[in-house]
Amino acid sequence: MTNLHDEEHSDVVHAASVGSYLANYFALLGLLIITVAVARVDLGILNMYAAMLIAMVKTVLVVLFFMHLGKAGRLSRIWALTGIFFFLIMIGLNLTDYSSRHMDATSSPTQPQRGGEQPPAE
Amino acid sequence: MSIAQKPNYLDSELGIKSWLTTLDHKRIGIMYLLVICVFFIVGGSMAALIRAELLTPKGDLLTSDAYNKAFTIHGVTLVFWVLIPAVPAVLGNFCLPLMIGARDVAFPRLNLLSWYVFTIGGVFGIMAVIFGGIDTGWTFYTPYSTSFSHTSVVLAVTAVFITGFSSIMTGLNFIVTIHKMRAPGMTWFRLPLFVWANYATSLIMVLATPVIAITVFLVGLEKVAHIGIFDPALGGDPILFQHMFWFYSHPAVYIMILPPMGVISEIVACFCRKRIFGYEFVAYSSLAIAIIGFIVWAHHLFTSGLSTYSAMVFSFLTFLVAIPSAVKVFNWTATFYKGEIHFESPMYFAIGFIGLFLIGGLTGLFLASLGTDIHFQDTYFVVAHFHYVMVGSAIMGFLGGLHFWWPKITGKLYAEGLARWAAVIIFLGFNFTFFPQFILGYLGMPRRYHSYSDEFQVLHVCSSLGATVLGFGYILTFCYLLYSVKFGAKAPKNPWGAKGFEWVTDSPPPTDNFDFKPVMREEAYAYKPDYEAPEVVHERA
Amino acid sequence: MSAHEQELHLGHQFEDLKQQIESYTIGMWIFLVTEVMFFGGLFTAYIIYRAKFPEGWVHGHHHLDWRLGGLNTLILLTSSLTMALAVRAAMLNKWKPQVLFLVCTVLLAFGFMIVKYFEYSKKFREHIVPGPLFAHKDDPGQELFMGLYFALTGLHGFHVLIGILVISAITIRTINMRRMRQDFIPVELVGLYWHFVDIVWIFLYPLLYLISK
């Protein structure tokens, strides 16, 4: 009754074929070569986006075919997405500050004038 | 009396070793309580020092350096070793598996480990206090903490780093426990609201705590190796520290307040003999507070260099968190309507909680508004606001829960009359301490100064007198609870006539929590229409 | 099933093995989420400083050798493959291939750390470690880049070390304790952890070693 490899536990045992692991591995190697190759071509800002895109594809491959997130149950999938979601919140809301700092800098020259209008100290 | 001789979790094994190696969630909860008491005394005595110093406008009791250390130690110990773990790690650990009808949490070893990690972090914290103290304020703001402070910043951030992991372990444990360990029939919408609150809290614990870990890690690295990440002299941005710090520390406020909110839901339902009004809304509001709590952090940065555009975004988001908070308050009060209200001591604490939270929450709106915040930032208004929420409400909720479950935890009844008095004294003492601080802040008294203009003295004296009353209330509570452990009358299974799995097992519960297999066959808080509540039993004093 | 196989350990808090397995798996995934947030703080800092010091990033990354980084990526990807095969063997109840693949994984992890050691020691020799002795004091962006480089790769390396310790412990237990051979849960959990460590590196490699111009 306590043997994990019985039929009744088939939904927690997930062993894909060796071939699928190898295929995934070579796909990852291919992407590694592509990412190095792309980095050697100057595309300006696109270089970073390309590198991140490839890294994300690699991550999806690892998560789906090595970590079997697809078979890990709904709860694990929700949590994995939760992690990414809050990570993006952290970056995104930080960027609302950093991407708009320059707007403050352009409006600042008015401030000394306002200071000059203050009545002299008694 | 064979029932009385049945072994329970307290006397099934005896000796220090059996406690230090225990995997029982109930014992671990009590071990947390002991450590938290030690830090409560440390932080509380610092508060006493601060209030004594502020009796007079001149800095005559403490030097400014000593004062800086006093309020830093007060803040660091009470935030990280008292308020954050108080309800989840003590009451949550004890009650959560009982309430969902489980034998234990999902990972008992991890639970014990979390206590050890917590205690080791605490030892580092104490070491930081002993070896020179720390004077940065509990926020460790850079570049002061990294470049200028010559106190034990490294020890203190190490302590916070280590303690953070105990919080993560507790949160992870609770989430898996709530997902996987519920008794048959215990569906999500039959869960007691305390469990929902702890789930929301755990969400914050696992998602936010790693960020404070990496932040204080970088502070330590900056301090030791000068990598320049938060040092403007080396190109770093000190405001990034504030972003990362508050990404944790603002949600951390909800770690402190959400579980007490859950406690209040339990108490109000029980002593109104009524299902909480709008159960689903209260349950979802816990999750909403947890999630919205993540997107409001930069309101702590309104005056420290945040861009105007970003400040507007965060101001708007901050107002959003008022909605689920208000849902809770309205629904608790609505539960009283046509309830069969019993004024027992936990109910006193619960009503006190609602009052304090109302003031604390509403004053938060002043601080969320960009215009008024410029005026109130870093004044006593802020101090009073967050004490109302983090201390007034959170400790009130914690004490309410402790009184509510005390007969279950210890198997003893405490002096009910004294408990009611204590609740009243704490409520009055707290308001007397912190309400004057709203006025002080409004008048412009800045926080973190040990001397002040003469005109503020009357209000400061009020505050210090109130603190004395508050301190008396806490000491009184401590005394009669401790007394009851030794001399209290034996508690029955269900002294309050409450519903819930924890009240159908023995007081104190057996090691495996239940002698039977609990099955949930009804809604949570099914007091009406046909529940015959047993007579309320308590000790008169 | 052969007679010598003993019963697996079921924690007293669980009703059955399925509940236990699911609890551990979900617990591990949540742990990985905390790791995402842990590294996430550093990645946030990276994004903000890279936007602030694009020049410093370009100059800073010239101190890193993309070939060594690529080699390490290759090593970690391969170790992920061997780890996945070890988990597969464990699930199919074949403990000998499981041990073989676990040993491969540990060896590859050591290889990663050796390459890292050579990279680090070169930087210490050339004084491009942030601090008072930093060779390019006039360029704060470069120093921040190197600071983040050491923080990110240092923490990642620490995770690799933890992985080596845990995988080794599981390998030894599998060899020594019969009872452990049936239990694929420890292998599966450490596998998840190991793949996560690999994913972190998948991002670190282009972010640190492959900056154009």
Side-chain angles (χ1 to χ4, degrees), chain B residues 440-451:
Chain B
L440 277 171
Y442 178 74
L443 296 174
M445 167 85 201
R447 68 193 281 203
R448 294 182 173 170
Y449 282 83
H450 76 313
S451 58

Side-chain angles (χ1 to χ4, degrees), chain A residues 74-93:
Chain A
R74 196 164 56 109
L75 201 51
S76 303
R77 285 200 293 277
I78 291 173
W79 267 96
L81 291 177
T82 305
I84 295 166
F85 176 71
F86 279 92
F87 174 47
L88 292 179
I89 280 186
M90 177 161 63
I91 292 179
L93 283 179

Side-chain angles (χ1 to χ4, degrees), chain B residues 314-341:
Chain B
F314 276 103
S315 174
F316 170 75
L317 292 173
T318 304
F319 277 107
L320 287 185
V321 89
I323 298 168
S325 311
V327 164
K328 280 190 188 289
V329 174
F330 290 142
N331 286 11
W332 291 322
T333 38
T335 308
F336 283 73
Y337 179 66
K338 287 191 174 171
E340 185 195 320
I341 301 174

Side-chain angles (χ1 to χ4, degrees), chain B residues 505-520:
Chain B
T505 188
D506 296 326
S507 301
T511 306
D512 266 348
N513 288 352
F514 301 97
D515 296 328
F516 52 93
K517 188 127 191 46
V519 179
M520 191 71 171

Side-chain angles (χ1 to χ4, degrees), chain B residues 378-411:
Chain B
D378 279 337
T379 67
Y380 267 63
F381 192 92
V382 174
V383 174
H385 159 69
F386 74 72
H387 276 87
Y388 261 88
V389 179
M390 285 162 50
V391 184
S393 314
I395 296 289
M396 208 76 180
F398 173 62
L399 288 177
L402 203 59
H403 283 80
F404 188 52
W405 284 300
W406 189 260
K408 187 57 63 183
I409 296 173
T410 61

Side-chain angles (χ1 to χ4, degrees), chain A residues 41-117:
Chain A
V41 187
D42 184 13
L43 300 170
I45 189 72
L46 284 180
N47 274 109
M48 195 176 73
Y49 292 123
M52 285 301 95
L53 186 69
I54 295 169
M56 282 172 205
V57 174
K58 282 161 98 174
T59 302
V60 169
L61 288 181
V62 171
V63 167
L64 287 184
F65 299 107
F66 281 166
M67 300 167 91
H68 298 290
L69 182 59
K71 292 171 197 154
R74 196 164 56 109
L75 201 51
S76 303
R77 285 200 293 277
I78 291 173
W79 267 96
L81 291 177
T82 305
I84 295 166
F85 176 71
F86 279 92
F87 174 47
L88 292 179
I89 280 186
M90 177 161 63
I91 292 179
L93 283 179
N94 262 305
L95 288 181
T96 64
D97 178 18
Y98 286 91
S99 62
S100 62
R101 289 262 180 96
H102 64 279
M103 298 182 197
D104 288 4
T106 51
S107 62
S108 61
T110 56
Q111 277 167 0
Q113 289 171 1
R114 223 183 293 151
E117 285 163 17

Side-chain angles (χ1 to χ4, degrees), chain C residues 127-152:
Chain C
H127 291 297
I128 40 179
V129 180
L133 293 175
F134 192 66
H136 305 276
K137 263 296 172 199
D138 52 329
D139 186 355
Q142 232 181 101
E143 190 169 3
L144 269 177
F145 175 81
M146 291 313 292
L148 280 169
Y149 165 81
F150 277 104
L152 281 163

